[in-house]
Amino acid sequence: MRLKSFIILLFVVLSHQLSYAQDSKYDRIFSETSQILLASNPKKALQNTDYLYKISNNNSERIKACMLRATLLRQYGLRNEAISALKRADSLSSTEKNYNLQARINGFMSTIYREYEIYNLGKSHLKKAVAISKKIEDKNEMYKFQGNLSQEIAYYEMNDSNYSKAISSLKAGNKLFKKAGKSIDQNFQTAVNNELIAKNYLSLQQSDSALIFYNEAQRELMASQSPNSPLKGFIYNGFANVYIAIGDDKKAMHNFKMAEEIAEASNFFTLKQEVYNSLMEYYKKTDTKKYIKYNELNLKLNKDEEHSRKIIADDLIKTLRNKEVVNQSNYQKSKIIIIASCILIVVLTIGIYIYKRKQDYKKFKKFITKSDAQPDSEKPIIIKKDSTREYISETTENSILKSIQELEKSYFYLNKDISLNSVAAELSINQRYLSYVINKHTGKDFASYINEMRINYIIDRLKNDNSYLKYKISYLAEQCGFSSHSRFTVTFKKVTGISPMNFITYLQQEKNKA
């Protein structure tokens, strides 16, 4: 568990706990579960959260039970189950417009998603927490929550290596803690922030500033209500890293020793991990034997922690599953309905696919039959009589038509840079006359006329040159004058009725039959 996780856990549980009287049955069970059973008997703690929810007298107590359940599940790596409990709490808080609880729930969800590196969702909940926190009516509660939220914001900035922004957020958080008054242990909260600020300065290689804030963190911690918190070990470890950076190995080793002693005495996993990693980095360049020693200690620490968490998590999962047995019958019915629906969807999808393939093949055969009956090279532009007033004289029109036919023989349309202006210039014709004649005798504008000839050209290549069947679609597009793969595909389908890929597939099948 990271330091941040430890602080949030402590903050969420205690802040809610202190807001209730401690003499009711609910409060006694909640207090015992959060203070003792959460660490000593997770299975019993999980059962208690269910019981607390059942005996709750109001939504605030139900939300409190849900958040305690989420805290427990998250602590042992059951992220999805923890989020499910928080969503239930969020739903309850929304009905009462309890902004304090809504903000805390979203802050908690942000932490969980961040820990599992699902940053987009985490940032989304963080943004909600910030917005909702501004609506908290009790100003002391608002400042207290926003101060803690500054740490969450800082962790996201640190993840993106935005150390300066992280520092700004944490310093802003310290100011908010001061505004919160005596409702919190200001010294402890600012000690946490100052330790993180120092860590960020160290990442920026600003050792002097880091040293100042580690000293501030140490002073604040000693003046707090929890002077022997594991945070003390983190501060000593930070001092050691600063002294290494400035080349004072003697002071570094003294602080490493103090940090290691606190880590061993507290048996706090994250502190041990951080100290071992720092010592590994130090001895990596100075003492191979000691490097190996701390590397092995670190590996064993992670292995033991993972094993311990897995055993507890498995036990919790069994407890959760036992509860689900009650609804097993309904679950099976739902499962059958879902499976049947999936099968039906698959069958329908396959049916639609087969039908579409058949329709595409019919379009292919129709196009090929029509194409074979009259090759593109034999298709003259038919002179049409227009019953309306002639735009140009019949003699001029016939002359333009013949010029176009002659130009087509040169495959002018394969030029990517072809335009109405360039063709008109090539034929020494007014571009409006050229556009008029093409539109009148083909029923298409200039661009459609050019693109259809390009498609007919590439189809002719596909039919008469087997090597073209092996080319990529992008190459075929380029060969017939299209500068865009997508434009070629759209135009091809418009002319033939099917996509280029399907056309090639069907054409290959026809050739194989022959």
Side-chain angles (χ1 to χ4, degrees):
M1 191 187 301
R2 299 175 184 176
L3 174 60
K4 169 63 181 166
S5 305
F6 171 75
I7 297 301
I8 288 291
L9 172 62
L10 181 68
F11 177 75
V12 170
V13 174
L14 293 184
S15 63
H16 283 282
Q17 179 186 333
L18 292 172
S19 64
Y20 293 88
Q22 296 299 315
D23 53 3
S24 70
K25 182 179 181 180
Y26 178 98
D27 295 318
R28 287 196 302 274
I29 295 173
F30 183 90
S31 179
E32 179 190 15
T33 304
S34 61
Q35 293 182 19
I36 302 170
L37 299 179
L38 205 64
S40 64
N41 192 342
K43 185 175 179 179
K44 176 64 175 172
L46 185 64
Q47 293 169 347
N48 278 5
T49 61
D50 280 331
Y51 183 64
L52 285 167
Y53 192 89
K54 289 177 183 177
I55 66 172
S56 296
N57 294 313
N58 51 59
N59 274 350
S60 292
E61 290 186 346
R62 293 185 188 95
I63 292 166
K64 185 180 171 187
C66 287
M67 293 188 73
L68 181 60
R69 183 181 184 85
T71 299
L72 171 67
L73 293 168
R74 163 183 164 256
Q75 186 172 333
Y76 293 102
L78 302 176
R79 182 193 74 209
N80 291 335
E81 290 79 2
I83 289 173
S84 178
L86 286 174
K87 285 182 177 178
R88 190 176 188 182
D90 190 41
S91 178
L92 291 168
S93 66
S94 298
T95 59
E96 295 188 346
K97 292 187 178 180
N98 190 323
Y99 299 124
N100 195 343
L101 290 175
Q102 285 179 35
R104 295 181 190 283
I105 291 164
N106 278 284
F108 199 171
M109 291 182 81
S110 171
T111 299
I112 294 176
Y113 282 124
R114 174 178 55 76
E115 289 174 343
Y116 285 88
E117 299 181 358
I118 308 174
Y119 297 116
N120 287 339
L121 279 175
K123 288 180 179 179
S124 174
H125 283 286
L126 177 60
K127 188 176 180 180
K128 286 182 183 178
V130 171
I132 296 170
S133 71
K134 296 174 182 178
K135 300 178 182 179
I136 298 174
E137 293 181 2
D138 187 324
K139 294 300 180 183
N140 286 339
E141 284 294 316
M142 181 185 75
Y143 293 137
K144 179 170 64 176
F145 176 73
Q146 290 180 344
N148 279 277
L149 209 57
S150 71
Q151 298 166 19
E152 185 68 12
I153 294 168
Y155 273 104
Y156 280 103
E157 297 296 355
M158 290 165 70
N159 179 69
D160 294 333
S161 299
N162 296 327
Y163 304 116
S164 296
K165 288 185 178 180
I167 290 168
S168 296
S169 178
L170 292 163
K171 286 181 177 179
N174 281 344
K175 292 178 181 178
L176 290 165
F177 286 137
K178 289 180 180 179
K179 289 183 178 181
K182 296 180 179 180
S183 61
I184 60 167
D185 184 352
Q186 288 184 24
N187 295 116
F188 183 78
Q189 296 290 1
T190 52
V192 172
N193 273 15
N194 285 334
E195 190 272 338
L196 282 174
I197 290 170
K199 192 171 287 183
N200 278 282
Y201 273 124
L202 202 53
S203 296
L204 290 169
Q205 298 181 347
Q206 297 180 22
S207 303
D208 291 344
S209 296
L211 190 59
I212 290 170
F213 277 93
Y214 275 125
N215 277 312
E216 279 294 307
Q218 188 177 53
R219 184 183 63 79
E220 294 283 359
L221 181 63
M222 292 305 294
S224 76
Q225 298 170 20
S226 306
N228 294 317
S229 160
L231 178 61
K232 190 175 184 179
F234 286 97
I235 294 171
Y236 278 124
N237 188 69
F239 274 130
N241 286 324
V242 171
Y243 287 125
I244 287 172
I246 62 179
D248 193 334
D249 289 358
K250 185 176 180 180
K251 285 186 179 180
M253 291 312 301
H254 171 72
N255 282 281
F256 272 139
K257 182 180 178 182
M258 299 292 288
E260 191 172 9
E261 286 176 359
I262 294 171
E264 295 297 336
S266 66
N267 199 30
F268 187 46
F269 171 76
T270 311
L271 177 56
K272 280 186 173 183
Q273 189 180 50
E274 187 164 312
V275 172
Y276 291 163
N277 283 331
S278 294
L279 285 165
M280 280 168 58
E281 280 297 312
Y282 176 72
Y283 286 124
K284 189 175 184 179
K285 300 175 182 178
T286 60
D287 192 325
T288 304
K289 287 184 178 180
K290 287 187 178 180
Y291 168 78
I292 293 171
K293 171 191 170 183
Y294 283 104
N295 184 44
E296 289 176 349
L297 283 172
N298 198 30
L299 290 172
K300 185 177 184 302
L301 176 71
N302 284 286
K303 184 178 179 181
D304 290 347
E305 174 73 5
E306 184 179 350
H307 179 67
S308 175
R309 285 165 66 90
K310 187 176 184 303
I311 290 172
I312 296 172
D314 288 345
D315 196 31
L316 292 176
I317 288 171
K318 287 178 183 178
T319 304
L320 290 168
R321 286 178 179 172
N322 288 337
K323 184 181 176 183
E324 292 174 0
V325 171
V326 179
N327 300 317
Q328 191 64 30
S329 177
N330 289 335
Y331 170 75
Q332 289 297 336
K333 289 178 183 178
S334 299
K335 188 177 179 181
I336 291 169
I337 292 171
I338 291 171
I339 291 172
S341 299
C342 289
I343 292 172
L344 180 61
I345 290 170
V346 170
V347 170
L348 286 172
T349 302
I350 293 172
I352 291 169
Y353 174 76
I354 292 172
Y355 174 78
K356 189 176 182 304
R357 293 285 289 184
K358 286 182 178 179
Q359 292 300 109
D360 280 355
Y361 186 69
K362 285 181 181 178
K363 292 176 182 176
F364 166 79
K365 289 295 290 182
K366 183 179 179 181
F367 184 85
I368 288 295
T369 302
K370 182 180 177 181
S371 177
D372 289 342
Q374 189 177 35
D376 189 60
S377 60
E378 298 176 8
K379 295 176 184 177
I381 297 178
I382 300 169
I383 301 174
K384 297 179 181 179
K385 289 289 183 180
D386 192 347
S387 58
T388 62
R389 185 177 64 84
E390 293 294 333
Y391 183 70
I392 56 177
S393 69
E394 185 175 341
T395 302
T396 302
E397 186 176 327
N398 290 339
S399 174
I400 293 172
L401 281 170
K402 289 179 181 179
S403 297
I404 292 172
Q405 285 180 318
E406 288 298 317
L407 190 60
E408 283 180 3
K409 294 176 183 179
S410 68
Y411 302 110
F412 77 102
Y413 45 81
L414 300 181
N415 182 355
K416 290 181 183 179
D417 300 320
I418 198 75
S419 67
L420 180 65
N421 287 342
S422 64
V423 175
E426 175 74 17
L427 298 177
S428 299
I429 300 170
N430 182 297
Q431 63 179 15
R432 287 184 296 172
Y433 287 180
L434 177 61
S435 177
Y436 170 79
V437 172
I438 289 173
N439 183 263
K440 179 180 176 182
H441 292 277
T442 67
K444 302 176 182 66
D445 59 24
F446 178 79
S448 298
Y449 160 68
I450 294 295
N451 286 338
E452 184 168 331
M453 284 196 294
R454 288 170 172 173
I455 297 300
N456 287 329
Y457 169 82
I458 207 64
I459 288 172
D460 181 68
R461 294 292 83 212
L462 289 167
K463 287 164 59 178
N464 297 299
D465 189 340
N466 289 336
S467 64
Y468 272 73
L469 298 173
K470 300 175 184 178
Y471 295 149
K472 292 182 179 180
I473 301 300
S474 57
Y475 180 76
L476 296 177
E478 186 180 348
Q479 285 295 298
C480 63
F482 283 92
S483 56
S484 165
H485 176 129
S486 58
R487 183 63 182 166
F488 169 74
T489 301
V490 170
T491 307
F492 193 100
K493 191 168 184 179
K494 183 178 179 181
V495 173
T496 66
I498 58 177
S499 69
M501 187 60 70
N502 285 343
F503 189 93
I504 291 170
T505 301
Y506 295 140
L507 195 58
Q508 286 175 326
Q509 290 174 0
E510 291 294 309
K511 286 177 181 271
N512 292 335
K513 289 179 184 178

